[in-house]
Amino acid sequence: MHLDPRVPDGPLETKWSDHQFDMKLVNPANRRKHRILVVGSGLAGASAAATLGEQGYEVLCFTFHDSPRRAHSIAAQGGINAAKNYQNDGDSVYRLFYDTIKGGDFRSREANVYRLAEISANIIDQCVAQGVPFAREYGGLLDNRSFGGAQVSRTFYARGQTGQQLLLGAYSALERQVRRGTVTVLPRTEMLDIVVVHGRARGILTRHLVTGKLERWVGDAVVLATGGYGNAFFLSTNAKACNVTATYRAYKKGAAFANPCFTQIHPTCIPVSGEYQSKLTLMSESLRNDGRVWVPLQAGDARQAQDIPESERDYYLERKYPSFGNLAPRDISSRSAKEVCDEGRGVGPGGLGVFLDFADAIRRLGVDTIKDRYGNLFEMYERITGEDPYVVPMRIYPAVHYTMGGLWVDYNLMSSLPGLHVLGEANFSDHGANRLGASALMQGLADGYFVIPHTLGDYLASTKLETVDTDHPAFTTTETEARNQIERLLAIGGSRTVDSFHRELGKILWEHCGMARSEAGLKRALELLPELRQEFWSDLRILGSGDELNQALEKAGRVADFLEFGELMCRDALHREESCGGHFRVEHQTTEGEAKRNDERFAYVAAWQYAGEDKEPILNREPLTFDNVQLATRSYK
Amino acid sequence: MKLRLKIWRQQGPHAAGEFVSYETADVSPDMSFLEMLDVLNETLQLRGDVPIAFDHDCREGICGSCAMMIDGVPHGPQKSTTVCQLHMRHYRDGATIVIEPWRAKAFPVIRDLVVDRGALDRIIQAGGYISVATGNAPEANGIPIGKDMVDRAMDAAQCIGCGACVAACPNASAMLFTAAKATHLGLLPQGQPERSHRAVNMVRQMDLETFGGCTNFGECSEACPKDIGLEVIARLNADFLQATLKEREGA
Ligand SMILES: Cc1cc2nc3c(=O)[nH]c(=O)nc-3n(C[C@H](O)[C@H](O)[C@H](O)COP(=O)(O)OP(=O)(O)OC[C@H]3O[C@@H](n4cnc5c(N)ncnc54)[C@H](O)[C@@H]3O)c2cc1C
Ligand code: FES
C-alpha cells in the first residue's frame, strides 16, 4: 500500500492558505447533485454535516443515538484550546503547534498540527456567534484556564460542560439545516459496513435499531466521524455505546488503521468501586489547576487523609516535575499514579487511588470560588462516592479515556480508501502518541467546520465518479454478509452474556496493553484473545430476534469487532519497541523510569493494512519528518 | 440489599404492556441505579428471559439518554439527579420500586422503558438556533457580554433534553424544554435578531407535536435534573405574546 500524506509544499505557515487556493471547487449549483454520507453526529460529524449542508450538498447524517445531541462529545467537561492569546501570556499559533507536537511525543504530522493550531481561533469565533455561553470575566471578555502540558492559559470553557455547549451549538446548526432541507438526520441507525465499488467508498449499509431493517445508502463520498475505541477496555470514561465498529469495518474494507496502540489513560477518574462497575467517571483535568495530588510517604499508611501531617505526605508530581507540577501531561501523571500505587502507597479500597486535595485552594481562594469553578464536578463526585470533596480530598485513579490511534488519513482527511474521509477522534492525525487536554474538541470542530468542507469539495471536483445505485452487486454482497453475521450471533445459543465477554476482553487489554506494556505480556494477550474470540463465537447467548429493538444484539456486533481489534492493538504495541506518549514499554525506560523514545527506528506512523481473515495484517510506514521543530526528549521537569 | 422491582414490559410500539415483578438480591449500595438494572439484565439473560430495554449512554448525567419514572417520579427520588447518577445507597433493603417509561402522547413507547423523543429535535429545528453560517463569525471578543448575563444563559443552556419535564407535567407540556432553549439564546446579544420568530416558531411546533399546553403547575422544574427554573417559561411567554401582538398589528 502506498501512503501518500499529500502535504502541500511551501513553508509551514502558508501551507493551508496556499492549499485552499489550489484546491478545486464544486460549483454551488452542482453541489446538491452530490450526496454525502456522514456517519456520526458528535462534534466532528455534526459540524461537518451542518457546514456541508450550508454549502448546498445533499447530506445524510447517521447516528445510532436517538438524537444527534446525545453523541459522546456531550460529556467533555474541561474545555477547548485556541491560540487567541487573550491572556497576553505569550501564546501564539506556533506555541500551540509546538505544545501539541511535543505533547504528542513527536509522533504526529507537522503540517496537520500546524493547520489545527491556525484554525483554532476561528472555532471560538464560530461558537460564540452560535451562542455558546463560554465563561466570561466581569469585564465581559472571554475567560481562560490552563490545562495539562501547557504553560499558557488558552483553554475556553463553559463551566464543567464545555463539550455539551459546543455540541449543542453544532447540533443547532445541524437542525437548522434539517429545517432548510439540506440535511437529513437518521437517528437510531447504525452503520454496519462500508460499500466499496471499484476501489472507492460509495455507500454504507445500516441497521435500523428499532425495526432491525437493513438498509443500503449510496453516496459520492463517505465521511466517518464515529469517535474513538476506548471501550475496547470495557471500563473507560467513554459513553457506554462508543465502539470501533465503523472504523474497524472500514479497515477490513481497505482503509489503513494507524497507531492503534496509542491510547490515553487519563489520570483523574473516580476509582472502581466493585465488580458490577459499568463505566468510569472522569473528573476533569482542570481540577489539577487547583487540586494537589498526593499519597502518604509510607506504604500501607491507613490513616484518614486529614490525620496525615504535611511532613508525611508526598506531593509526587510537584516533587518530580517542579516546573509543571500538578499540570504534568496525562501520560506522565497517570504513570506516576500507577507507580506510587505499585509501591503500596495508594489510598482507598484496594489501594488503587491517590488523593486530589483542594484544602489549600479552598484556604487560598475561598469555598465560593472553588464552587464557581468546579461546583458541578464536586457534586458529581459526591453523588457517585457519597463523599464530600469540600471536606475530604477526592480519590482518583487513571482510566482509559481517549484513543489517539485511528484510521490513517492524508492532509485532506481522506483515508487510504479513496472517497472515505475520517474526522475527529476516529482518525489518527493530530495527537501523536499522547493528546493534550482540551485538544480533542478543538480537533473535532476544526475537522468538521473548517477542513472537510474544503477538502471534500476538492475530492468531488477532481474525481470522475461513475453512476452507482443500491442494486450494485457490491451492496448485495455487503448486505448478505451483515445479515449472515446477525443470524450467526443469534444462532449460537450458548451460555454467556455479551457483557461477560466484553469485561473479559477489557481485563486482558488493561492488564497487558494498558499503562505499562511488555513483550511477554503482549505475547500472552495475543494468545488469550483468539481463545476468547473462539469462545465468544461458540458460547454467546443472545435472546430475542434481529427484527426488533435488541440492545444485546447491538452490543454483540460491537464486541465481535472489539475482539478482533484488540489483537491489532496488541500487535501494534508489540512491534513498537520504544516508549512514547501513552505507549510505555517497560523494556524501554530510563533509569529514572521515564519513557525512552527511539527516533531512529520509530519516527513513523504505523498504518496497518487488513490482509484477510486469520492472516497477519501488513505494516505500512509513513515516515515522520520534523522540519520545523527539533526532536527533543520530552521534559516537564 | 434485596429489592422488589415492578418494571413495565412492552415488546414493541403496538404491543400491550404490563408490569412484571422481579426480585433482586446482591444489590450493593455503591451501585448506580442503572448498574442495578445491568445486574438484573445479566440474571434475566442467564435464565433465558429477554433483558429490559432502556436508553442510556454517558452515565454521567449529561447526554440526556436515560429516562424512566421511578415510583412515579421522573429520574427517581434524588433532586437534581438523572437516573444514571442515582445510587442505590438512597434505598432501603427490602424496598419495592416501580419503574416505567415516560408517559406522554408525544413520546410513544418503543420498547419497555425506551420512548421516542424525536419531537424535541423537531422543536429545535423550528428555531432553536442562531442563524450563522460557518466562516462568517466576527471576532469572539468583539461583543463583551456581562458575566451575569452569560451565567444566566448558561443556567438555561444546561438542559439535557431528557424529557423529564414532559413526563412530570400533568398536561405533558414541553414548555420548560422549549423555554430553556429560547431563554439561553434570547439572553445573549447574538440571539436578539431572531428572538421573536424563534419564540413563535418553537411554541407552534410544540403544539403540532401534541404536547399539552402549560398551565403553570411547576412540576417540570421540580423534576428537572438540571434545575432549570420556571422563570424561563415566563420569558418565553412574554416573547411569544409580544411577537404575536406584533404579528396581529402587522396584519
Ligand atoms: C468524559 C470525557 C471528557 C472529555 N473532556 C474533554 C475536554 O474537556 N476537552 C477535549 O478537548 N476533549 C475532551 N474529551 C475528548 C472528546 O470529548 C472526544 O474526543 C470528542 O468529543 C470526540 O468527538 P467525535 O465527534 O470524534 O466523536 P463522538 O462524539 O464520539 O461521536 C461519535 C458519533 O458517531 C456515531 N457513531 C459511531 N459509530 C457509529 C455507527 N457504527 N453507526 C452510526 N453512528 C455511529 C455516534 O452515534 C456519535 O454520534 C473528553 C472525553 C471524555 C470521555
Ligand atoms: S445516561 Fe447520559 S444522562 Fe443518564
Side-chain angles (χ1 to χ4, degrees):
Chain A
M1 176 182 286
H2 175 60
L3 295 176
D4 180 0
R6 301 214 290 163
V7 173
D9 294 331
L12 193 61
E13 293 76 14
T14 59
K15 277 183 198 298
W16 178 234
S17 48
D18 292 348
H19 189 55
Q20 275 177 282
F21 181 74
D22 292 338
M23 280 187 291
K24 291 200 178 132
L25 300 173
V26 178
N27 179 326
N30 285 336
R31 291 192 191 143
R32 67 188 161 75
K33 297 181 195 149
H34 291 288
R35 183 198 263 188
I36 317 294
L37 309 177
V38 177
V39 189
S41 67
L43 284 180
S47 58
T51 307
L52 291 165
E54 257 164 48
Q55 294 186 334
Y57 295 103
E58 183 197 352
V59 179
L60 303 187
C61 180
F62 301 83
T63 167
F64 56 61
H65 286 97
D66 71 320
S67 160
R69 67 181 288 157
R70 308 214 196 277
H72 164 62
S73 294
I74 201 96
Q77 303 171 351
I80 175 166
N81 287 330
K84 281 281 198 187
N85 195 26
Y86 283 160
Q87 306 304 319
N88 195 22
D89 53 4
D91 200 10
S92 62
V93 168
Y94 191 85
R95 187 180 291 278
L96 175 53
F97 156 72
Y98 181 78
D99 285 350
T100 310
I101 290 273
K102 176 186 170 195
D105 220 354
F106 304 92
R107 289 294 174 265
S108 44
R109 203 187 277 148
E110 272 190 346
N112 286 54
V113 177
Y114 192 86
R115 174 178 64 191
L116 174 64
E118 227 180 321
I119 290 175
S120 65
N122 304 358
I123 299 175
I124 303 304
D125 297 342
Q126 185 65 35
C127 296
V128 166
Q130 288 170 346
V132 170
F134 283 124
R136 291 183 181 253
E137 293 166 352
Y138 282 100
L141 300 181
L142 291 157
D143 191 21
N144 292 117
R145 52 167 60 144
S146 359
F147 244 62
Q151 283 169 317
V152 294
S153 279
R154 62 160 78 96
T155 305
F156 294 78
Y157 64 102
R159 295 201 185 135
Q161 291 129 279
T162 317
Q164 179 197 27
Q165 294 309 313
L166 295 174
L167 184 60
L168 292 182
Y171 157 77
S172 66
L174 181 70
E175 295 296 4
R176 176 170 163 253
Q177 293 307 313
V178 172
R179 183 72 161 197
R180 289 186 57 212
T182 61
V183 178
T184 306
V185 172
L186 295 111
R188 293 202 197 265
T189 306
E190 178 161 20
M191 181 200 113
L192 295 183
D193 216 338
I194 301 269
V195 180
V196 180
V197 177
H198 293 140
R200 290 188 187 278
R202 288 305 303 273
I204 65 171
L205 184 85
T206 61
R207 176 171 181 271
H208 192 264
L209 300 181
V210 176
T211 61
K213 191 167 169 228
L214 296 181
E215 284 172 289
R216 307 169 180 196
W217 306 91
V218 70
D220 291 346
V222 179
V223 177
L224 291 189
T226 49
Y229 50 85
N231 278 350
F233 292 86
F234 186 77
L235 287 182
S236 87
T237 62
N238 290 10
K240 288 292 285 175
C242 293
N243 70 82
V244 78
T245 289
T247 48
Y248 189 70
R249 295 302 172 98
Y251 158 78
K252 286 178 104 172
K253 285 285 168 82
F257 210 109
N259 303 331
C261 81
F262 288 168
T263 50
Q264 179 166 80
I265 315 268
H266 195 289
T268 53
C269 303
I270 301 179
V272 172
S273 75
E275 262 304 303
Y276 49 80
Q277 189 93 24
S278 62
K279 74 158 289 184
L280 295 169
T281 302
L282 174 77
M283 288 282 103
S284 167
E285 173 165 20
S286 61
L287 291 168
R288 291 199 279 146
N289 272 304
D290 289 306
R292 298 179 70 197
V293 176
W294 66 276
V295 290
L297 220 42
Q298 291 303 322
D301 189 336
R303 285 176 290 177
Q304 297 291 312
Q306 61 272 24
D307 299 334
I308 304 179
E310 276 299 311
S311 61
E312 292 173 48
R313 298 177 175 193
D314 181 10
Y315 294 89
Y316 58 88
L317 287 176
E318 296 171 24
R319 170 171 60 78
K320 284 168 42 182
Y321 307 99
S323 62
F324 280 71
N326 294 299
L327 288 174
R330 294 182 171 169
D331 51 339
I332 291 179
S333 310
S334 292
R335 222 157 36 238
S336 303
K338 178 176 182 333
E339 256 167 51
V340 295
C341 292
D342 288 351
E343 288 161 17
R345 299 197 283 144
V347 300
L352 289 178
V354 300
F355 289 127
L356 179 63
D357 196 337
F358 290 85
D360 282 349
I362 291 175
R363 229 169 285 136
R364 188 160 34 90
L365 302 165
V367 171
D368 288 345
T369 307
I370 296 298
K371 197 168 265 171
D372 206 37
R373 287 189 188 161
Y374 312 112
N376 66 320
L377 296 171
F378 276 41
E379 263 171 54
M380 176 141 80
Y381 182 86
E382 182 170 5
R383 231 173 253 139
I384 293 174
T385 61
E387 291 172 6
D388 178 1
Y390 291 102
V391 181
V392 292
M394 286 185 178
R395 285 176 298 107
I396 53 168
Y397 196 66
V400 174
H401 178 58
Y402 181 86
T403 54
M404 283 74 69
L407 290 180
W408 182 90
V409 287
D410 65 15
Y411 189 73
N412 292 335
L413 303 182
M414 187 159 86
S415 73
S416 60
L417 174 63
L420 179 72
H421 296 74
V422 192
L423 320 182
E425 192 171 342
N427 74 25
F428 89 107
S429 75
D430 294 336
H431 307 294
N434 173 56
R435 174 175 70 77
L436 292 182
S439 286
L441 302 182
M442 169 173 74
Q443 184 222 333
L445 291 180
D447 289 359
Y449 283 133
F450 296 107
V451 181
I452 198 70
H454 297 283
T455 58
L456 192 67
D458 183 51
Y459 170 76
L460 295 170
S462 50
T463 311
K464 242 192 115 43
L465 291 165
E466 59 184 312
T467 315
V468 172
D469 62 32
T470 52
D471 294 331
H472 191 282
F475 275 95
T476 313
T477 321
T478 310
E479 181 174 331
T480 310
E481 282 163 10
R483 192 177 303 284
N484 288 347
Q485 155 130 338
I486 291 170
E487 280 165 10
R488 208 175 137 205
L489 287 167
L490 288 165
I492 302 169
S495 69
R496 285 183 63 178
T497 64
V498 57
D499 265 3
S500 83
F501 283 106
H502 195 179
R503 270 179 206 279
E504 191 173 339
L505 166 68
K507 280 194 183 137
I508 297 174
L509 290 177
W510 179 245
E511 171 90 16
H512 300 297
C513 199
M515 267 190 283
R517 300 152 175 193
S518 70
E519 183 180 338
L522 289 163
K523 286 189 167 155
R524 180 78 189 119
L526 286 169
E527 289 164 9
L528 293 171
L529 291 173
E531 287 169 20
L532 184 62
R533 186 147 51 93
Q534 209 174 12
E535 197 182 336
F536 175 88
W537 284 105
S538 58
D539 198 21
L540 176 71
R541 168 181 293 190
I542 300 294
L543 302 162
S545 77
D547 44 22
E548 58 185 342
L549 178 68
N550 187 337
Q551 295 174 324
L553 176 65
E554 291 162 26
K555 260 192 233 166
R558 298 169 190 167
V559 172
D561 289 330
F562 272 138
L563 281 164
E564 292 183 23
F565 178 72
E567 272 181 63
L568 192 64
M569 282 170 70
C570 293
R571 211 174 284 286
D572 186 41
L574 182 62
H575 113 280
R576 192 170 278 276
E577 290 185 46
E578 64 163 350
S579 295
C580 60
H583 171 63
F584 190 75
R585 282 286 299 266
V586 295
E587 301 91 339
H588 302 281
Q589 51 181 311
T590 65
T591 42
E592 289 169 306
E594 301 290 338
K596 219 159 100 188
R597 233 172 46 217
N598 183 341
D599 292 329
E600 244 154 65
R601 283 185 62 204
F602 291 101
Y604 63 74
V605 178
W608 297 89
Q609 181 184 349
Y610 185 67
E613 200 124 337
D614 294 323
K615 291 215 183 80
E616 280 209 16
I618 302 160
L619 174 62
N620 299 279
R621 299 179 176 83
E622 180 201 333
L624 292 169
T625 47
F626 295 90
D627 302 324
N628 298 276
V629 298
Q630 228 186 340
L631 278 165
T633 304
R634 211 161 59 118
S635 167
Y636 291 92
K637 295 225 165 190
Chain B
M1 278 159 72
K2 259 200 179 128
L3 297 172
R4 201 158 156 258
L5 304 169
K6 284 174 75 180
I7 303 180
W8 185 261
R9 302 299 311 257
Q10 180 174 336
Q11 216 192 340
H14 309 294
E18 58 173 350
F19 281 105
V20 180
S21 295
Y22 302 95
E23 307 279 333
T24 62
D26 304 332
V27 175
S28 147
D30 287 328
M31 279 179 184
S32 70
F33 199 90
L34 299 188
E35 282 168 345
M36 181 274 292
L37 290 180
D38 290 342
V39 171
L40 173 65
N41 271 342
E42 290 291 288
T43 321
L44 292 184
Q45 291 177 83
L46 291 178
R47 68 173 202 225
D49 285 350
V50 173
I52 298 146
F54 60 93
D55 268 329
H56 66 97
D57 197 22
C58 73
R59 298 204 174 189
E60 294 190 4
I62 192 78
C63 73
S65 295
C66 62
M68 51 188 84
M69 286 300 241
I70 303 174
D71 294 329
V73 181
H75 292 298
Q78 197 180 4
K79 180 111 184 74
S80 327
T81 304
T82 53
V83 56
C84 61
Q85 291 282 289
L86 174 65
H87 281 68
M88 297 314 291
R89 63 180 76 92
H90 300 285
Y91 286 90
R92 278 176 304 101
D93 189 22
T96 299
I97 308 176
V98 181
I99 309 172
E100 58 190 314
W102 283 174
R103 306 277 190 197
K105 194 167 162 208
F107 290 164
V109 173
I110 291 176
R111 176 170 200 144
D112 298 342
L113 306 174
V114 178
V115 299
D116 181 352
R117 288 170 286 186
L120 298 182
D121 287 330
R122 292 187 290 274
I123 292 178
I124 298 296
Q125 283 158 23
Y129 42 74
I130 289 170
S131 299
V132 49
T134 307
N136 289 342
E139 157 58 38
N141 256 348
I143 317 173
I145 308 177
K147 185 175 183 322
D148 291 349
M149 197 61 96
V150 165
D151 284 350
R152 280 171 58 206
M154 181 67 200
D155 288 341
Q158 294 194 84
C159 168
I160 58 175
C162 62
C165 46
V166 178
C169 176
N171 306 337
S173 168
M175 197 59 176
L176 193 71
F177 168 83
T178 309
K181 185 44 66 186
T183 299
H184 155 213
L185 299 175
L187 279 169
L188 297 171
Q190 297 90 320
Q192 296 315 309
E194 292 167 295
R195 186 165 155 189
S196 301
H197 258 83
R198 177 181 305 123
V200 174
N201 292 343
M202 288 177 83
V203 169
R204 291 199 174 139
Q205 187 66 33
M206 186 182 96
D207 294 341
L208 281 179
E209 297 289 349
T210 71
F211 289 106
C214 171
T215 49
N216 292 316
F217 278 103
E219 300 283 338
C220 50
S221 180
E222 246 339 270
C224 175
K226 297 292 145 181
D227 295 325
I228 310 269
L230 288 175
E231 64 279 1
V232 299
I233 296 185
R235 275 189 65 93
L236 177 58
N237 278 332
D239 281 358
F240 182 81
L241 204 67
Q242 207 163 31
T244 40
L245 270 178
K246 254 192 245 152
E247 245 177 51
R248 246 176 277 155
E249 280 164 13

